[in-house]
């Protein structure tokens, strides 16, 4: 979970995550609400967490904190 200070910041974070996820062709599950973005990463086809999930998680950490 990544807390934000309101709706505009929440949307900016979602867009940032979407941008690099699309570039990596790896798409996390996002739960978006006022003041919070929840990110879930795992590879459906692999049935678990893969290296791509870890790489994406590191990028999410970089923009979400």
């Amino acid at each position: 979970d990544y807390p934000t200070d309101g709706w505009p910041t929440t949307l900016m974070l979602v867009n940032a995550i979407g941008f690099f996820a699309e570039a990596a062709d790896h798409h996390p599950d996002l739960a978006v609400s006022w003041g919070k973005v929840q990110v879930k990463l795992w590879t459906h086809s692999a049935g678990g967490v893969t290296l791509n999930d870890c790489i994406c998680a590191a990028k999410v950490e970089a923009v979400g904190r």
Side-chain angles (χ1 to χ4, degrees):
D1 291 346
Y2 295 90
T4 68
D5 61 2
W7 191 243
T9 308
T10 298
L11 293 177
M12 287 188 283
L13 178 57
V14 167
N15 284 326
I17 293 169
F19 179 79
F20 64 71
E22 183 65 21
D25 195 30
H26 197 69
H27 305 100
D29 292 330
L30 303 175
V32 180
S33 60
W34 189 96
K36 182 172 73 172
V37 178
Q38 183 181 61
V39 182
K40 294 182 182 179
L41 288 158
W42 72 297
T43 301
H44 299 272
S45 61
V49 177
T50 65
L51 178 60
N52 282 341
D53 296 304
C54 294
I55 292 168
C56 193
K59 292 179 180 179
V60 170
E61 281 291 311
V63 298
R65 295 287 175 201

